[in-house]
Amino acid sequence: MRHKHSDYMHWAKTQSKARFNLATSGVGAFPLRDLPFDYSRMEANGSNNSYGYQPLKGAIAGTYGADPDCVVTSEGTSMANYLAMATILEPGDEVLIEHPAYGLLVDAALHIGAEVKRFVRPEESGYAIAPAEIRRALTPKTKLIVITNLHNPSSVLTPDSVLREVADLARSVGARLLVDEVYLDAVYEGTPRTSFHLGPEVVVTNSLTKVYGLSGLRCGWILAQPDLARAMYRLNNVFASIWVHPGELLSTAAFEHLDMIRDRARRIVEADRAVLAEFLDQHDEVSAMRTPWGTTSFLRLRHGGADEFLVRLRSEYETSAAPGRFFGMPGHFRVGMGVDSEMFREGLRRVGLALAQ
Ligand SMILES: Cc1ncc(COP(=O)(O)O)c(C=O)c1O
């Protein structure tokens, strides 16, 4: 029986919300009224958008330094990841996915019928990717290696030198490397270039959701070599004929103001990170890999499992966080920054009270 669900997404949609919601992963909503846009241009239907709206593909290509023929527009990074995997993988192919990982990456691969193998990003080494670990796990059946950069849940950045090694390893067995970069632009200083440029075997996914607060526009994309990009669009024909044109128009406008949109969220993310650092300094009941960037942090409880703790946190302190079990690490929980600093501070204070109990 094919895998046809995502436990994490079901939980996120039905149980993650609380008065003090630390279970988020992206920044708060960007108010659409603050996006300069001439609404007399708004149309429900477009022309010139059968295989992606050209102005939007051009904006994505221009921003990330890729050829427009390498851009596949998709409904968020979620669909981008699925399309990329489903185009590259055949049932029975091996896919090597990082651990801990964002659950949907595993769910998508399982749904496709791939054989899922894992390589560990050890907490003790700061969730760093060790190419030697990947080399050991590769087989001639491996067709895809999947990583997130920044890493969800820890927000650790993988340097280009390591990504290049992993891309070379993928190439050595005729596989590809999928890098989900949905959090990468949350490196606010010296933002790294997309890893798409590291080699033809690299496929990248991204969207305007986590770092830009525009998740409702569902503007996601894939960067891939033109032949693969065309195959992805052809596969997408099975699911959808065209995209939502108002979304295409607004997303194209967003690309003209990306810095402004990102800067607004940056202030909140950075204020929250300072509060988190203070919290971690004061609470040795938890530990975390501290990063200077990213919208999430993965906290380890020194004692016990997180599930029981999170149930109590929610029922007695009206505060939620994402359970580590969804990342395959039940002693951890993930907190999200960048939504509302008052809420974040009070939520963490309540986490502290629950820890002290
Ligand atoms: C690593 C990763 N990729 C993709 C997504 C989904 O992104 P989108 O909202 O663009 O579909 C998430 C959401 O949490 C994520 O953490």
Side-chain angles (χ1 to χ4, degrees):
M1 172 82 165
R2 278 272 176 97
H3 184 89
K4 292 183 182 171
H5 60 96
S6 163
D7 288 341
Y8 167 71
M9 192 50 77
H10 183 64
W11 175 88
K13 288 182 175 181
T14 58
Q15 289 171 60
S16 71
K17 294 187 182 65
R19 184 166 165 218
F20 302 96
N21 185 358
L22 307 185
T24 57
S25 56
V27 304
F30 178 82
L32 205 50
R33 62 184 167 279
D34 292 348
L35 177 68
F37 183 76
D38 174 5
Y39 279 90
S40 67
R41 288 179 43 231
M42 181 55 86
E43 292 293 349
N45 300 344
S47 54
N48 190 19
N49 63 345
S50 300
Y51 284 110
Y53 180 53
Q54 293 305 327
L56 178 57
K57 287 174 78 172
I60 295 166
T63 303
Y64 294 95
D67 188 292
D69 286 346
C70 297
V71 177
V72 179
T73 46
S74 67
E75 278 184 59
T77 313
S78 307
M79 193 59 181
N81 285 333
Y82 185 83
L83 271 185
M85 286 194 203
T87 306
I88 293 166
L89 295 167
E90 297 296 330
D93 283 348
E94 282 181 15
V95 54
L96 193 50
I97 303 178
E98 65 188 8
H99 171 89
Y102 173 59
L104 260 78
L105 297 170
V106 178
D107 293 323
L110 289 174
H111 175 69
I112 291 160
E115 190 77 34
V116 175
K117 300 264 170 89
R118 310 297 296 269
F119 72 94
V120 178
R121 301 180 62 154
E123 182 176 15
E124 312 77 63
S125 48
Y127 298 104
I129 291 177
E133 174 83 12
I134 294 178
R135 187 180 298 109
R136 265 196 297 279
L138 283 180
T139 80
K141 279 175 68 190
T142 310
K143 288 291 173 283
L144 187 64
I145 301 169
V146 181
I147 62 177
T148 51
N149 196 31
L150 306 176
H151 181 218
N152 180 6
S154 70
S155 287
V156 164
L157 173 71
T158 300
D160 268 7
S161 55
V162 172
L163 291 170
R164 194 178 293 277
E165 268 188 77
V166 178
D168 288 348
L169 283 171
R171 187 171 46 221
S172 72
V173 294
R176 288 195 160 88
L177 169 63
L178 173 61
V179 188
D180 176 330
E181 294 185 348
V182 77
Y183 298 99
L184 189 61
D185 289 354
V187 179
Y188 294 117
E189 292 297 326
T191 310
R193 206 169 173 228
T194 170
S195 50
F196 179 61
H197 300 289
L198 294 178
E201 57 285 326
V202 182
V203 174
V204 160
T205 53
N206 200 344
S207 71
L208 292 182
T209 63
K210 302 295 166 189
V211 181
Y212 297 96
L214 289 167
S215 58
L217 295 184
R218 293 287 75 208
C219 175
W221 61 90
I222 305 158
L223 302 179
Q225 292 307 302
D227 53 340
L228 193 57
R230 277 193 293 276
M232 288 174 186
Y233 268 127
R234 296 287 282 266
L235 173 59
N236 194 50
N237 284 342
V238 175
F239 303 110
S241 55
I242 51 163
W243 214 40
V244 177
H245 191 54
E248 291 175 324
L249 292 171
L250 290 167
S251 300
T252 308
F255 269 93
E256 287 166 27
H257 303 281
L258 275 192
D259 288 345
M260 178 269 283
I261 297 169
R262 189 168 82 139
D263 280 353
R264 177 198 138 275
R266 174 181 181 167
R267 286 190 285 277
I268 306 170
V269 174
E270 290 186 341
D272 288 358
R273 194 184 318 289
V275 171
L276 177 65
E278 229 175 85
F279 172 85
L280 290 170
D281 287 343
Q282 289 164 3
H283 291 275
D284 62 4
E285 311 94 311
V286 284
S287 61
M289 176 67 199
R290 301 189 192 199
T291 63
W293 40 66
T295 54
T296 63
S297 182
F298 203 38
L299 275 57
R300 181 168 74 92
L301 283 171
R302 284 219 197 280
H303 304 289
D307 281 343
E308 180 271 329
F309 173 74
L310 293 177
V311 167
R312 198 157 49 77
L313 182 67
R314 191 186 171 81
S315 60
E316 294 177 29
Y317 297 95
E318 299 176 277
T319 302
S320 63
R325 73 173 186 279
F326 291 122
F327 303 87
M329 299 188 73
H332 291 61
F333 61 96
R334 191 192 66 190
V335 298
M337 294 167 268
V339 178
D340 177 326
S341 289
E342 288 291 299
M343 181 187 75
F344 187 74
R345 181 182 286 282
E346 180 57 20
L348 275 189
R349 192 183 73 80
R350 287 167 181 246
V351 171
L353 292 174
L355 286 170
Q357 211 179 44

